[in-house]
Amino acid sequence: MFDSGSMTDLALRDSPAGSGSAGLEAGLLPVLPALRSLLPGLRRGQVVSVDEVGALATALVAGASEGGAWCATVGLPEYGVLAAAGSGVSLDRLMLVDEPGERWAEVVAVLLGAVEVVALRPPARPSVTEVRRLTAFARRHGGVLVVAGVPWEGAQVRLRVVSSVWTGLGDGHGHLRGRRARVVAEGKGPPRAEWLWLPGPGGEITVAGIAAAVDDHEPAVELSAAG
């Protein structure tokens, strides 16, 4: 975990981008198999908007880090390292900046020049200037900016959870075991949708299918997301 004051020195000293990603396809970073029906990969230089903070943003980081990319999270103090590892994130290729403070945009700009994927939750809705500047940084340096929890004007891909079902909790008791979510991807071309485990009972992120393989006797709580 790093504080924002050390980020510039870190980037200049280590410059991890490119040090462990020689095998990655030029222009495209991998995603987990469960996400490939939604997007074939993370295109370098693009911004991906995710409507919620949690497993879906984690999944994007997981696929890229598994493929050899260096990744960072900014403004996500609740980002669970153990849960991330269970989702497939390579922790030895992950930097965490929990509290970037007022200079969060500067921190993200530095990271976009040093790593391949930055997952960000801004502390407040970003200004037009901040959006344009960081979008331009991502494009210039070939990094992928994943913005979670707030709208981001001009994002090339938008991922939304439109409904979800938690299993393992019923009648006010039990333990949450997994979440089956319907995810819609919007961007170039027609929208695409898939049912995913976010996460599954074992912490994994996999395709759930329209009719998930949930025990008939196991309680489920269904939730819907607006818009």
Side-chain angles (χ1 to χ4, degrees):
M1 188 157 50
F2 304 95
D3 61 63
S4 60
S6 67
M7 291 312 301
T8 302
D9 291 339
L10 171 72
L12 294 176
R13 184 179 69 247
D14 295 337
S15 189
S19 63
S21 57
L24 296 177
E25 178 185 345
L28 203 65
L29 300 177
V31 296
L32 294 177
L35 299 178
R36 289 174 189 164
S37 64
L38 297 172
L39 66 167
L42 297 175
R43 188 158 300 282
R44 293 176 183 271
Q46 75 175 177
V47 178
V48 179
S49 172
V50 181
D51 70 343
E52 64 175 30
V53 177
L56 191 51
T58 300
L60 295 174
V61 173
S65 66
E66 274 191 343
W70 279 83
C71 303
T73 68
V74 179
L76 294 165
E78 73 282 7
Y79 195 90
V81 173
L82 292 179
S87 300
V89 176
S90 297
L91 298 183
D92 59 349
R93 292 184 175 277
L94 179 66
M95 301 179 185
L96 303 176
V97 185
D98 290 348
E99 301 290 349
E102 295 180 358
R103 299 173 63 189
W104 66 270
E106 180 181 334
V107 171
V108 173
V110 171
L111 284 169
L112 284 171
V115 304
E116 284 123 326
V117 178
V118 178
L120 161 71
R121 180 174 61 182
R125 184 158 183 164
S127 68
V128 172
T129 299
E130 289 167 335
V131 169
R132 290 177 177 173
R133 178 176 178 236
L134 293 179
T135 299
F137 260 79
R139 184 169 57 250
R140 182 180 313 133
H141 293 288
V144 178
L145 180 60
V146 177
V147 182
V150 300
W152 191 271
E153 186 68 29
Q156 290 88 350
V157 178
R158 182 187 178 201
L159 299 178
R160 296 187 297 121
V161 175
V162 295
S163 64
S164 63
V165 177
W166 281 98
T167 65
L169 183 65
D171 297 328
H173 61 86
H175 299 281
L176 294 174
R177 296 186 60 246
R179 180 196 185 203
R180 186 170 67 96
R182 181 171 173 81
V183 180
V184 174
E186 299 169 321
K188 186 176 181 179
R192 300 165 299 284
E194 183 66 271
W195 282 96
L196 303 174
W197 282 112
L198 287 177
E204 71 285 351
I205 296 171
T206 58
V207 174
I210 297 176
V214 179
D215 191 303
D216 289 340
H217 300 291
E218 184 169 346
V221 178
E222 184 167 4
L223 303 172
S224 296

